[in-house]
Amino acid sequence: MSGNAMDVGHLVQLVPRGGTDCVYGAEATNKSKSDLILDVAIRSESLLQQLSAQLAQASHRSPANISSVASPGNAISPSTVSNFGRGEGPSDHISNAILSPFHASTTESILSWPHFGEFRSLIKESKFSVFQLENARRPLSHRPSPPQPFMTKSDIEKTIRSFERGINFWYPTMARSTAKSLKEYLLSGAVKESTRSCLALLVMALGCSSELVGLFTTKETPETHSVEIETQQRFLASMYFECAFKKIPLAQAEFTADAVQCLFFTGPLQAWSFISAAATKCRLLLSYTPSDQPPERLECLRRIFWSCYILESDFLAELSALPQTGIAEIESLIPLPGEYSTQESQSDQEQSSLYFLACISMRRLLNRVHDLLYARNDGVGFDNNQFPSVVSELGHQLEEWKDLLPFHFQFSVDLDTTKSPEGAFLRQRYLTCKSVIYRPYLTWALSNGEEVVECPPDCI
């Protein structure tokens, strides 16, 4: 998960080039305070311009340094778990895994390829763009406040466990201590008009949904639900979410970790708008973290940040010209997930952390692939003389990522059943990344038509 491989020595050499001498003991100048601020701003801008030029030369896309740009392997190696939360050195924070605006590899871009012009029947059936289809989603309308569903203590505990093993396993952002606090809050019956209440109700809604879709099985939850149980879970999930959604404006107006979690947990149900809002608030809170911030709350924000980074990148990979929140621009500055208890079982805790790291690592690699091959101005995916070597290196790094997966998540590239549902999803990610990496060969073949004899030679 390291950034661009530019050594510290190179960065140090840039400092004297600013042309600024350090003078000690000099008399104070007669300049006004605003003039001094302007001088500092001009001098800083000059230094940044020189640094940018140096970085552009150092990070020139060539086969020699692509490995350092996109390598995802270290994120899920066996030593990673024992090194959670350890910051990287300054030289690791140079290049971010960011998607270029208007990159040429969105779903919409591919559907508009002229090569598919012959398949007019397929294009005719697809009357709407991906954005139009997404935008056609029926918004949640404000209805009269529904009564809060009644659940016994055992039902509440069961639902929260469902949330932990379902949602909080795939996106481990809530500490167990917070979940326990929310359980006591619900049992007290003092659900008020507050962000805390909104978060508690969302946890219950997602817990009921986890049971409904069968994301997991426990001794208390049979593998096959009866129609009555499914209907009940669907009703409870809907009721809890309607109650929570009534309180969403409170989270939108508040800048706290609880508010960010509310927006994030609403995101999967209302797609882009809430994920964008959660990412924006999360970035702001991480930029202005008070010194007395509890470590658990800071880790919560970091995990929400990485979750938003994954989901936002997924949207950006599909839709053209989608507004960006800017979290990808600082992703190399945010530490990887650290010590954080999200599961009752220590084994589940370890598996959840490893799976989260695997998803972060894959999303970073996917962003590198999209940027290196399909960036609007300098992607090499359409240059027959450059893309073979880049594709070869990226393909090698993808295989390294696959080989470094923990045993529980390993998979074979065929129709065999995976060892776990998480492994099945990672296999899907692997195949998606592979298709994006090798797409230039498909484009090249379609562009050359009957003249295709052999693949372009590799660049050395």
Side-chain angles (χ1 to χ4, degrees):
M1 300 288 289
S2 63
N4 197 354
M6 184 177 187
D7 59 6
V8 179
H10 191 180
L11 286 177
V12 173
Q13 293 174 6
L14 297 177
V15 176
R17 298 181 186 178
T20 303
D21 297 326
C22 296
V23 180
Y24 299 93
E27 296 294 330
T29 64
N30 294 325
K31 291 184 177 181
S32 66
K33 187 174 182 180
S34 60
D35 291 333
L36 293 174
I37 295 175
L38 179 61
D39 288 344
V40 172
I42 295 174
R43 188 164 64 249
S44 299
E45 182 178 0
S46 177
L47 288 171
L48 287 172
Q49 290 175 347
Q50 294 178 24
L51 180 60
S52 178
Q54 293 289 337
L55 292 179
Q57 296 176 6
S59 61
H60 179 69
R61 294 189 177 108
S62 63
N65 68 1
I66 292 177
S67 176
S68 64
V69 172
S71 176
N74 292 337
I76 49 175
S77 62
S79 61
T80 302
V81 182
S82 61
N83 291 311
F84 275 169
R86 297 185 183 180
E88 299 170 352
S91 62
D92 296 323
H93 297 321
I94 297 173
S95 180
N96 295 299
I98 185 173
L99 275 171
S100 174
F102 302 100
H103 62 98
S105 53
T106 63
T107 301
E108 291 181 329
S109 300
I110 297 170
L111 291 176
S112 64
W113 281 4
H115 313 297
F116 298 145
E118 298 179 5
F119 304 97
R120 298 186 182 278
S121 60
L122 294 177
I123 297 177
K124 185 177 181 180
E125 291 176 5
S126 179
K127 298 179 180 179
F128 304 101
S129 69
V130 176
F131 173 76
Q132 288 174 311
L133 292 173
E134 179 66 26
N135 199 42
R137 180 196 299 264
R138 184 167 58 90
L140 289 174
S141 58
H142 284 280
R143 306 174 186 174
S145 298
Q148 181 182 329
F150 172 79
M151 277 193 175
T152 64
K153 179 180 179 181
S154 61
D155 287 336
I156 291 177
E157 292 175 344
K158 175 184 174 183
T159 303
I160 291 180
R161 283 199 300 272
S162 300
F163 166 82
E164 287 183 348
R165 188 61 185 88
I167 303 298
N168 213 41
F169 184 96
W170 295 70
Y171 292 98
T173 60
M174 179 175 286
R176 292 205 70 235
S177 58
T178 302
K180 290 180 179 179
S181 174
L182 293 177
K183 181 187 71 174
E184 297 301 324
Y185 182 77
L186 288 166
L187 291 174
S188 69
V191 178
K192 303 176 181 178
E193 291 297 313
S194 66
T195 302
R196 193 71 169 175
S197 298
C198 180
L199 183 58
L201 294 170
L202 281 171
V203 167
M204 294 298 292
L206 293 171
C208 292
S209 299
S210 295
E211 294 188 14
L212 178 64
V213 299
L215 291 176
F216 68 101
T217 56
T218 64
K219 294 180 179 179
E220 298 142 18
T221 304
E223 295 185 5
T224 57
H225 295 293
S226 66
V227 175
E228 292 78 8
I229 295 178
E230 290 182 0
T231 302
Q232 181 184 19
Q233 291 299 326
R234 189 182 301 276
F235 174 77
L236 288 172
S238 176
M239 290 288 287
Y240 271 116
F241 182 73
E242 285 190 18
C243 291
F245 196 70
K246 287 289 184 181
K247 306 180 190 306
I248 281 295
L250 299 173
Q252 291 174 323
E254 188 175 303
F255 279 87
T256 62
D258 283 352
V260 175
Q261 278 201 315
C262 286
L263 295 173
F264 173 70
F265 286 146
T266 309
L269 300 168
Q270 284 292 286
W272 168 250
S273 59
F274 283 98
I275 293 297
S276 175
T280 301
K281 284 184 182 288
C282 190
R283 176 176 178 174
L284 183 62
L285 288 171
L286 286 173
S287 299
Y288 295 93
T289 303
S291 57
D292 58 347
Q293 180 83 347
E296 188 176 84
R297 188 56 56 91
L298 180 59
E299 180 64 24
C300 171
L301 287 172
R302 288 172 176 171
R303 286 177 173 243
I304 296 176
F305 173 92
W306 283 114
S307 299
C308 289
Y309 170 77
I310 293 172
L311 292 172
E312 180 182 80
S313 297
D314 287 345
F315 283 114
L316 293 172
E318 297 297 327
L319 298 175
S320 300
L322 198 65
Q324 301 188 31
T325 62
I327 57 174
E329 298 173 0
I330 63 169
E331 57 88 22
S332 63
L333 298 174
I334 304 300
L336 293 176
E339 185 176 349
Y340 197 60
S341 176
T342 61
Q343 303 292 321
E344 183 177 2
S345 165
Q346 185 62 33
S347 174
D348 288 344
Q349 169 68 43
E350 180 179 355
Q351 298 298 330
S352 175
S353 297
L354 287 171
Y355 173 74
F356 195 36
L357 283 172
C359 288
I360 294 172
S361 182
M362 170 51 72
R363 189 61 256 179
R364 295 189 83 233
L365 177 57
L366 272 166
N367 284 11
R368 302 290 195 196
V369 171
H370 280 289
D371 191 57
L372 285 168
L373 294 177
Y374 310 105
R376 185 175 190 178
N377 296 320
D378 52 0
V380 302
F382 303 101
D383 187 335
N384 293 347
N385 295 319
Q386 295 189 60
F387 83 72
S389 58
V390 178
V391 165
S392 177
E393 174 59 31
L394 291 173
H396 170 69
Q397 292 174 17
L398 176 62
E399 295 305 318
E400 281 192 327
W401 174 87
K402 177 178 177 294
D403 294 340
L404 283 170
L405 288 174
F407 176 78
H408 187 66
F409 302 139
Q410 288 177 1
F411 54 82
S412 57
V413 189
D414 50 32
L415 298 178
D416 289 350
T417 304
T418 57
K419 298 180 178 67
S420 64
E422 297 78 31
F425 182 78
L426 293 177
R427 176 166 63 184
Q428 178 184 347
R429 285 289 204 185
Y430 166 85
L431 294 173
T432 298
C433 188
K434 195 164 189 175
S435 69
V436 177
I437 290 174
Y438 290 97
R439 190 178 297 160
Y441 282 104
L442 174 62
T443 310
W444 174 83
L446 291 173
S447 300
N448 289 274
E450 297 179 356
E451 299 178 3
V452 173
V453 178
E454 59 182 358
C455 292
D458 286 349
C459 298
I460 300 178

